[in-house]
Amino acid sequence: MNLSLASKVAVVTYLIILVNILVFLQSLTDPESYNLLIQTYGLVPFEVMGGKNLLSLITSMFLHADILHLGLNMFFLLVSGDAVERELGSSRFLALYLSFGIIAGLFHSYLNSASAIPTIGASGAIFGVLAAFAILFPFRWLLKLFGFIPIPLPAILFVFITILTETAYVSSGIIESVAHTAHVGGFLAGVFLTLLFIPKKRVAQK
């Protein structure tokens, strides 16, 4: 494998996790300031579709509602991002991660253009990473949570079941506190961008 592409250590994955944890710590030390961060840097679909506060497409990815929200996102980023980054390289992984998150945010904003509720979390970007993981390593194992029961599944089956569930939520029209449309947008971005990058990676390795 060409080391100019691949990375021995998933530096970006661990750095993203660290930044998310450090930002979330403010919610414990100064809840009022953290709520202000959410109001200021959370993604508001109505604003984004009006061309305002576009930076929130990135900043919202580093804000989380509570410890469970943060913990689940960082866990799935760790188990999938580590392998994807070491396979594709740190700079390419960072570009893809941010692209997944931005596209997820735009997809969510487009489908919820009248919403003034701030959306936060790295889930959209992480769904993109999970899609990349399933494409690169379809038969590696991931833990799928059914309720609070973890069940090991091959990555390709994990992603199929997960995206089927998310699509069902979006199609149902049920409004929840979870941005399922961002999950679907991130997944679609993960599929298309990963497939776009794989041929270039293989050519560079020859």
Side-chain angles (χ1 to χ4, degrees):
M1 183 176 290
N2 189 336
L3 292 180
S4 65
L5 271 176
S7 298
K8 291 183 178 180
V9 180
V11 176
V12 170
T13 296
Y14 291 103
L15 184 59
I16 290 172
I17 292 172
L18 177 61
V19 171
N20 274 279
I21 292 173
L22 290 176
V23 171
F24 182 75
L25 287 178
Q26 186 169 351
S27 71
L28 304 178
T29 58
D30 192 348
E32 289 187 9
S33 294
Y34 191 71
N35 287 334
L36 182 59
L37 278 179
I38 291 175
Q39 295 300 320
T40 305
Y41 297 107
L43 186 155
V44 178
F46 179 77
E47 292 182 354
V48 169
M49 294 309 297
K52 300 177 181 178
N53 200 15
L54 297 181
L55 185 61
S56 65
L57 289 164
I58 294 177
T59 56
S60 61
M61 296 161 56
F62 296 91
L63 298 166
H64 289 83
D66 52 46
I67 191 67
L68 181 61
H69 187 204
L70 174 71
L72 286 175
N73 274 350
M74 295 305 100
F75 171 75
F76 283 111
L77 176 57
L78 177 63
V79 298
S80 59
D82 181 276
V84 173
E85 180 180 347
R86 285 189 286 111
E87 180 72 10
L88 296 181
S90 294
S91 58
R92 179 167 290 177
F93 176 79
L94 178 59
L96 286 173
Y97 181 85
L98 294 176
S99 298
F100 297 158
I102 290 170
I103 293 171
L106 289 171
F107 190 80
H108 172 72
S109 297
Y110 179 75
L111 294 179
N112 300 273
S113 58
S115 175
I117 300 173
T119 302
I120 58 174
S123 304
I126 293 169
F127 265 76
V129 176
L130 286 169
F133 184 90
I135 291 170
L136 293 168
F137 315 105
F139 301 109
R140 287 196 187 178
W141 295 89
L142 288 173
L143 288 176
K144 172 69 176 172
L145 293 176
F146 291 92
F148 288 99
I149 302 174
I151 304 293
L153 295 173
I156 192 69
L157 183 57
F158 170 98
V159 168
F160 175 77
I161 293 174
T162 301
I163 199 59
L164 193 65
T165 303
E166 294 300 314
T167 304
Y169 273 115
V170 172
S171 301
S172 70
I174 297 174
I175 299 176
E176 290 189 343
S177 58
V178 179
H180 296 288
T181 47
H183 297 173
V184 174
F187 172 81
L188 293 175
V191 170
F192 289 113
L193 291 181
T194 303
L195 291 176
L196 184 64
F197 274 107
I198 285 177
K200 294 181 180 179
K201 171 179 174 291
R202 286 178 177 167
V203 168
Q205 286 179 333
K206 290 182 180 179

